[in-house]
Amino acid sequence: YNAEPMTPPNFKDVIEKLGVDKKEAMPVYNLLLGEKELVKVKEELYFAAPAVEELKARTREWFKTHDDLDPAGFKELSGGLSRKYIIALLEFFDKERFTSRVGDKRQLRGKQERA
């Protein structure tokens, strides 16, 4: 996950490469989640925690000069992530109450973050 932080491998590919099944892998994933080394963005899509924090920082910067954020804007600020990751991350940010969805765009939650 740290090797390609912005394009993490699929969970199934990781466990296949390691030669373990989901039941064997989940205790390790749960430990990494508990230690805040990994972030579960959606089912079977995990990111290294520093990558998510970097994207949050870039998003905060975006909102210093923009009122809202759409998938194309997120692609720009993320350095060209594919739609697969963009949509999952935007939905994750909404779920975490970092952003809120308004139509097909996002707004940053919390006025203190927009200074």
Side-chain angles (χ1 to χ4, degrees):
Y1 290 95
N2 288 322
E4 296 289 334
M6 295 299 177
T7 55
N10 181 305
F11 174 78
K12 289 179 183 179
D13 294 337
V14 172
I15 63 173
E16 183 178 301
K17 184 175 181 179
L18 294 173
V20 297
D21 64 23
K22 185 174 181 176
K23 187 176 179 179
E24 292 172 306
M26 285 318 299
V28 176
Y29 272 80
N30 288 332
L31 175 66
L32 292 170
L33 290 167
E35 295 290 323
K36 301 197 184 306
E37 295 292 326
L38 284 182
V39 174
K40 184 177 181 178
V41 171
K42 72 175 200 173
E43 196 62 37
E44 300 194 0
L45 180 59
Y46 299 85
F47 275 77
V52 173
E53 290 307 312
E54 172 66 21
L55 289 169
K56 281 185 174 182
R58 291 181 190 181
T59 301
R60 281 188 200 96
E61 285 298 313
W62 175 272
F63 280 108
K64 287 182 179 180
T65 58
H66 299 81
D67 292 327
D68 51 38
L69 177 65
D70 62 10
F74 193 74
K75 181 174 185 167
E76 179 184 325
L77 78 84
S78 69
L81 282 179
S82 72
R83 189 160 180 84
K84 166 187 167 181
Y85 296 116
I86 290 169
I87 299 304
L89 284 161
L90 288 173
E91 289 174 352
F92 171 76
F93 286 168
D94 294 344
K95 186 177 112 188
E96 292 292 304
R97 302 181 62 80
F98 176 65
T99 58
S100 61
R101 185 174 179 173
V102 179
D104 63 345
K105 298 182 180 182
R106 266 59 181 195
Q107 295 181 336
L108 189 65
R109 287 188 184 251
K111 293 180 183 181
Q112 72 279 3
E113 295 187 55
R114 195 152 174 218

